[in-house]
Amino acid sequence: MRFFGIILKQKRLGVSKMKSEDEAKLIEIFRVLFNMPELELRDELTAREVPTWDSFNHINLIMNIESEFDVRFTTDEIASLQNVGELKVLLNKKLAVLV
Amino acid sequence: MVYFNSLTFWCGVFFSYLFINLKVPFSKTFSFGIINFICLSVLFDIKLALACLGCVSLFWCFLDVIQDQKKSQFFFKLYSLLCIFFLVGLFLLHKSYLDNPTFFNIGHYLFDRYEPIQPVFMLMSTLAFSYIFLRFLDLFRAVMAGNTILDPFSLLGYLVPFYMLASGPVNVYTEYVATNQKKSIKPNFTQLLLCMNLITNGLFLKFVCAEGLRILFYGVNGKLQSGDLFNSAFILIYVFFDFAGYSYVAFGIGKLLDIPTPLNFQSPYISKTVTEFWTRWHVSLGDFVKRNIFIPLQVTMIRKWGITYAYWTNLIALIASFVFVGIWHRLSLKFIIWGIAVGCIVAVEKIIRDQIIKRDKDFFKKFSFGNILGPFYVFCVIVGTLHFAIQDLLGQ
């Protein structure tokens, strides 16, 4: 998982930039789920910085993203995510496969 | 198993450091695998080391066969299930022998009745030792998820590392594999000094703080006692110094050999909730449970029952994870109850926390008394839950 995370970090510079409509959808999911309308999605944002981002909401977040973007994450991928940047990279990768 | 006071062990560490920094045309994990095999042979017995290598090689073959079956979903799932049952069965057999529970005494039953099985059983017991069992599970899960299967020597270095045998930590297979991709750190004095600092800190915690406290309260040859809350509180403090000390030594040796070794303790006694405590105490075990039990269980349940039941699946996964931790410590009814109790406490904390945050998101930032009351509350709860199961833990 960390290996996967490390590979993601190396590719982050090219792949973490999302389409604006996808990014908007992602921000909306975060804001509604964590009940923080003013939340800004930085790549470095982690669960520690968001009071309501616990293990339950982490899984909820993933399930909501899967439903919204019609993608599927493996449990390895879910467990390996360290911050929003890595989530974006992973999501971009999944969306690229769909196109 | 205490060998940090053994000269042979430290000679092994010293020569491992020299050898691992030699420029050889092998991968890092293979080099470490060879060094590890030699250290195991010297520290224990070459026959045991060869037997472990043999078992690991068999497991390597089995993993290779399972990976080849990926095209056939039926055989892939069948072999995977067989593997899981075998590993868990071996672990429970070992635990039933070691812990001698009244409700599941098959270990002693087999061992005492059938003499020829005894050496095989002892080898199986070694491989089913708690930390090795967890590494086998992590390896299995990582390989089933598509990660590389390393060669048998490298696998031996991951599964039975000589400096992590006694009390972990539970290193991560994918991090171990990634070692081969990373650039080796050139030996330098600063790095060496940092590692020596970690090792000496660990030795200080273990042999000065922990043993000093034990001698102070129970005498030079005194053993840890259970019985009242004071003893349980003392054991909690003693175990921290002892275990954290050991973990720092293992962490320092890992850094010296440039082999990924997680740090196990992150100031657990400043935790404000029991939930936070278990993310700071024995971190590598917590991470293992999170990625191998908690997340897969919860995700599977949500995908089967729907997101409407997400809250309940979270609570079930929490309790199941702590029951696993309880059984892993001791195969006894008390530890199963302990796991359920701690899981329920964490679940209740979550419910209360969610209700508070609904009303006031910044409550925990404003409530500065929590920095004093929180650790006191956590200490009382942990001592209380430990007191319930301490006799089983000490085998008294």
Side-chain angles (χ1 to χ4, degrees):
Chain A
M1 293 167 303
R2 299 265 189 263
F3 169 75
F4 191 78
I6 289 165
I7 294 294
L8 284 177
K9 272 185 190 166
Q10 288 169 351
K11 290 186 177 173
R12 198 190 335 173
L13 285 171
V15 187
S16 70
K17 201 134 176 65
M18 297 179 76
K19 285 184 198 170
S20 54
E21 58 264 32
D22 289 340
E23 182 128 17
K25 278 189 207 172
L26 192 65
I27 292 172
E28 193 54 26
I29 291 171
F30 269 83
R31 285 177 174 171
V32 168
L33 185 66
F34 298 129
N35 195 21
M36 295 176 75
E38 72 288 355
L39 182 69
E40 289 302 325
L41 225 56
R42 294 173 288 114
D43 280 3
E44 305 78 30
L45 186 69
T46 63
R48 282 180 197 271
E49 296 168 62
V50 182
T52 44
W53 193 349
D54 57 11
S55 57
F56 165 69
N57 274 332
H58 182 73
I59 304 295
N60 248 351
L61 173 70
I62 298 299
M63 295 294 121
N64 276 296
I65 292 172
E66 282 188 350
S67 169
E68 182 66 38
F69 291 96
D70 197 24
V71 294
R72 196 155 167 121
F73 298 104
T74 64
T75 50
D76 253 13
E77 288 167 345
I78 296 168
S80 73
L81 295 170
Q82 298 294 309
N83 55 39
V84 169
E86 288 183 14
L87 172 63
K88 283 182 185 175
V89 168
L90 181 59
L91 185 56
N92 271 338
K93 196 178 168 188
K94 298 278 177 187
L95 292 172
V97 169
L98 287 179
V99 166
Chain B
M1 201 195 303
V2 176
Y3 43 61
F4 290 154
N5 53 353
S6 152
L7 185 61
T8 316
F9 175 82
W10 292 109
C11 288
V13 171
F14 175 70
F15 285 112
S16 301
Y17 176 65
L18 290 179
F19 185 77
I20 209 147
N21 286 306
L22 292 175
K23 280 194 177 149
V24 290
F26 303 129
S27 67
K28 189 70 171 279
T29 53
F30 184 78
S31 300
F32 176 67
I34 299 286
I35 295 165
N36 184 60
F37 176 76
I38 295 169
C39 288
L40 288 173
S41 306
V42 170
L43 284 171
F44 299 99
D45 183 59
I46 186 149
K47 287 183 199 167
L48 185 67
L50 280 168
C52 287
L53 181 63
C55 290
V56 169
S57 301
L58 273 172
F59 193 67
W60 171 75
C61 293
F62 196 63
L63 284 177
D64 203 39
V65 164
I66 296 180
Q67 263 207 339
D68 284 343
Q69 298 299 322
K70 269 197 166 167
K71 285 178 192 165
S72 164
Q73 280 295 306
F74 171 74
F75 283 109
F76 178 71
K77 283 183 182 169
L78 176 68
Y79 291 142
S80 304
L81 275 169
L82 277 173
C83 194
I84 293 280
F85 277 128
F86 176 73
L87 284 174
V88 172
L90 201 62
F91 175 70
L92 290 176
L93 203 65
H94 160 73
K95 275 293 192 185
S96 78
Y97 173 74
L98 189 73
D99 300 338
N100 201 14
T102 49
F103 66 92
F104 184 65
N105 213 348
I106 193 165
H108 268 277
Y109 178 81
L110 290 173
F111 189 85
D112 297 339
R113 263 182 184 235
Y114 303 107
E115 222 178 278
I117 210 174
Q118 287 171 7
V120 176
F121 197 90
M122 292 314 293
L123 170 68
M124 285 161 68
S125 291
T126 307
L127 293 176
F129 183 64
S130 301
Y131 289 93
I132 299 175
F133 164 70
L134 294 181
R135 293 190 196 109
F136 265 107
L137 280 186
D138 197 62
L139 162 65
F140 177 77
R141 188 204 44 75
V143 166
M144 292 306 106
N147 286 279
T148 322
I149 310 173
L150 294 171
D151 58 276
F153 274 103
S154 298
L155 284 188
L156 185 70
Y158 168 72
L159 291 166
V160 195
F162 77 95
Y163 67 96
M164 287 194 248
L165 275 184
S167 297
V170 187
N171 41 337
V172 185
Y173 179 70
T174 47
E175 285 181 1
Y176 184 71
V177 170
T179 314
N180 291 332
Q181 314 297 328
K182 279 178 7 186
K183 260 188 177 174
S184 292
I185 300 169
K186 276 188 191 162
N188 61 75
F189 187 67
T190 312
Q191 176 74 2
L192 188 62
L193 211 56
L194 173 71
C195 297
M196 296 309 298
N197 187 42
L198 288 166
I199 291 169
T200 47
N201 280 347
L203 292 173
F204 177 79
L205 287 176
K206 188 171 173 60
F207 290 110
V208 176
C209 297
E211 288 305 299
L213 279 172
R214 185 187 61 76
I215 291 169
L216 186 68
F217 285 96
Y218 298 116
V220 173
N221 297 314
K223 288 187 182 170
L224 298 176
Q225 313 273 337
S226 61
D228 58 28
L229 282 171
F230 170 79
N231 283 315
S232 299
F234 174 83
I235 286 169
L236 184 62
I237 297 167
Y238 170 86
V239 165
F240 168 71
F241 284 122
D242 185 70
F243 199 178
Y246 163 86
S247 295
Y248 266 107
V249 174
F251 183 63
I253 295 173
K255 268 207 163 322
L256 200 63
L257 304 179
D258 201 22
I259 297 294
T261 309
L263 192 56
N264 248 348
F265 292 86
Q266 292 175 3
S267 313
Y269 289 119
I270 63 169
S271 307
K272 297 183 224 13
T273 60
V274 172
T275 311
E276 191 186 347
F277 178 85
W278 290 112
T279 63
R280 291 174 176 270
W281 179 280
H282 206 169
V283 177
S284 65
L285 176 64
D287 284 348
F288 170 88
V289 170
K290 189 174 82 170
R291 69 177 176 270
N292 290 292
I293 296 169
F294 180 74
I295 288 177
L297 189 59
Q298 194 179 357
V299 168
T300 306
M301 284 193 286
I302 289 180
R303 286 192 174 141
K304 195 166 184 173
W305 299 335
I307 203 156
T308 325
Y309 297 100
Y311 210 79
W312 292 106
T313 61
N314 184 247
L315 301 182
I316 292 169
L318 265 173
I319 293 170
S321 300
F322 277 102
V323 168
F324 172 83
V325 171
I327 292 172
W328 178 81
H329 277 87
R330 280 288 182 269
L331 185 62
S332 73
L333 204 56
K334 271 195 177 169
F335 263 95
I336 292 171
I337 296 170
W338 174 91
I340 294 170
V342 174
C344 289
I345 291 170
V346 170
V348 166
E349 274 189 359
K350 179 184 162 47
I351 293 167
I352 294 173
R353 185 184 156 83
D354 288 347
Q355 293 303 314
I356 291 173
I357 288 178
K358 241 189 227 176
R359 287 162 177 74
D360 183 356
K361 263 184 296 196
D362 297 322
F363 175 83
F364 292 105
K365 284 183 193 168
K366 293 180 219 167
F367 185 54
S368 57
F369 279 108
N371 292 330
I372 301 163
L373 290 178
F376 178 72
Y377 149 73
V378 170
F379 189 78
C380 291
V381 169
I382 300 298
V383 167
T385 50
L386 179 67
H387 183 65
F388 171 72
I390 192 67
Q391 283 172 333
D392 278 21
L393 191 66
L394 296 179
Q396 289 173 354

